[in-house]
Every structure is written in structure tokens, then in C-alpha cells.
Amino acid sequence: MTGYSKNEWMKYVQNDIGDIEICDVTLRDGEQTPGVTFTREEKIDIARMLDEIGVEIIEAGFPVVSQAEKESIKAIAGLGLDAKICCLSRAIKSDIDAVLDCDADVVGIFIGTSDLHLKYKHKKTQQEAIDCIVPAVEYAKRHGLIVRCAAEDSTRTDLDFLKRYYKAGEDAGADYVSIADTVGIMNPTTMRFLVGEVRKTVKIPVCVHCHDDLGMAVANTLAAVEAGATQLHTTTNGIGERAGNAALEEVLLGLLLQYGIDRYKLSTITDLSKSVEKYSGIKIAKNKAVVGDHAFAHESGIHIAALLENDRTYEVFTPEIVGGKREFILGKHSGSKALCYMARQMGFTLTEAETNIVLEEIKRLSEDKVSFRREDLRELITGLLTDKKAVIA
């Protein structure tokens, strides 16, 4: 028993899946969430937890932003983690020098390439953008950095120009090219197509950086995997600018269940999620996949009865895989099996008559939007059955 169910439908689909690596950008793009700032100690803690999970690259920040940012990145680079440490840089020499000052391993060098960015942000032509990225890549390579040549707003960039831009980056010595879905405009079909087209143009690995403006960042990231993308960018809890980025926890579970990629230590993912929730102040939605409070919570009596026989009936993976816990919540849709199971867990043995009394009260109260977790249920049972001499097992 593996504790999870593989997607058997994948055997019918031809995919071009190569070596995958995660570049987690929680400490950089995640910190660009409006109102979010991590302290140096918080960044170090998050970096250690990402490293424990097995994330291959940690994008620790954008060093030109401030001296404090640079010092935090340098502290992370000095931890001796297994993960490579990456920094972001514009296609400007002084930005790259700031990265070098941090002792980072990898630099992601970018310039906006869409007509919108070129016209309104950079005031440059397409050729001028290439003329910026080429010397920047060459300079970073001469100074010993692993270089990711990124096109900001790639997914709204003219395809022929995007190919020329990436080819110029490759010829300048880049180790990766990076597709940034900066405004989250893609869907899995268009992402699969674009990655395929870029892979026809360059021989170096392709990265994808997906935003969640249309709620498809994780789906687009996995579609990119199927098209042969190598480096996947994520943030813990999917935090990031506007609607956020592809969520680390969802991408890792997707890689495991859909494609059998089983080299990450997922048992600490919930602890990481809770830490980032605390440090960022961004509350996790209760129904958030993998790490939300309701990810393994069940109320329906039919569901709970089946789960008590075999937990695969209504869970695609066990909560223990990600360090979570299963929870039964009693309410309008609950039945006697769930009630008796939860009661026994707390040391109560209920007769059939007592079960009916408690269940009737649960259903009555549920009409007022009340539901019962473990401690709530203990109080209800004690209160209802004190005079009825409920048997304590």
C-alpha cells in the first residue's frame, strides 16, 4: 500500500518528461505579495525547510532591492544547504554584481519582451532587448554563475521574436531559458504548445514560471512538464503578486500522483505551509488543496462510512504523506457510523438510543450552521447524556 493512488489514465497519454527540478521562489516572488515582508530569520527558516523537502534551487531574493535583502541572501547562501541558491537580476551589470556579492550559484536575468513591456516599460525595440540580454548573460557567465535567461511576459510576446531572444541567450552561454507567464494568461493547451516550440529552438533546458491570475498556474506548470520543461517555479501556498504563483505543495503532489516523481520529502510540507502562513500573514483557505484545514476533513455520512472501510475511497493520498491529519466533522450530512467512531475515539460507547439522541441534536443544530469537531462533540455528548448514564468505555 503506497498511501496514494496513481492516475491510471496517464498510461494512455504520451508525455515527454525529462529530469525535473524545482526552483522555489517563495523568498523572492512570494515576498512580492502585497503587504508581505519576511525577516532574515524567517527567510533562513523557510530556506532550511525547502532544502529538507529536497527543492533543488531556492530563489532567495532580488539583491539590488536593498542592503538588508542582500545580507539575507548572503546568509542563506552561507548555510551550506544542498539546494543551489538563486537570485534575480535585471539585464544590468550592477544587478549582476549585487548577485555576485551574495555568493549565489544561479542568476535569473530578465527583461520584458512583450510589445507592451518593450513600449511602455523599457522604451526599447526588440533588437535593443536582445542587445541588453546578450552582454548581461556573457558577463554573468564570465563570473562563474549558472545563468537563466528569462523573458518577462513571455506568454504575450511575439513567438518569432521570443525564439530569437532565447536563441541569442543560448548563444551567449545561458544554461537555461525561462518562460514567464507573468500575468497568468495561459492554459494547459497553449502552455504545452509554447514549451514545445521553445524546445525546438534551443538545446538548453526550459524553465516555466506560472502565475495564477486565471487559477491555472499549477495546471499550466504540469502541462509544461508534459511538453518537456525541466525547471518548475513554485511558491509555498501559492503566494505571490496578485493571485500568486504555482503552489509548491500542489505541484509536488501532482508530480508524484500523475508522473511518479517520488524523490521529495513531502512529510514536512504542511509544517512549511503553516510557517509561511504565519510569517506572511496570508491565511490559507480552508479548502486549499493539500494543506488546507479541510483537505482531509469529511462530513458526509456515506463518505465517512466508506473511509472507515478503506481510506482510498475518498482520499487520493493519505494525510500522513504531507504531514497532515484526517478529520471527521459531524453535521447535517453525517450518520451513525461516523458518530459512533468519533465517540469511541474519545472513550464513549453509545447505545443505539443514545446514538439517535446525539445525532438528532447534531442535525438540528447544523441547520443553524453549527458543525462538530472532536472537542465540540465531547461537550455535546457529555451534556446530552449525563442524565442518561452514558457508558464510558
Side-chain angles (χ1 to χ4, degrees), residues 361-372:
E361 183 66 1
I362 288 171
K363 290 179 180 290
R364 185 186 71 80
L365 291 171
S366 71
E367 297 295 339
D368 294 325
K369 302 184 184 295
V370 176
S371 59
F372 292 85

Side-chain angles (χ1 to χ4, degrees), residues 19-34:
D19 292 331
I20 299 298
E21 63 183 15
I22 300 294
C23 175
D24 187 85
V25 299
T26 302
L27 300 180
R28 198 275 303 168
D29 215 340
E31 198 183 35
Q32 289 175 211
T33 305

Side-chain angles (χ1 to χ4, degrees), residues 91 109-113 118 122 124 128-129 132-133 150-152 165:
I109 305 175
F110 73 95
I111 188 169
T113 54
L118 289 172
H122 298 304
K124 295 183 185 297
E128 285 171 335
C132 284
I133 198 67
E152 187 181 14
Y165 175 88

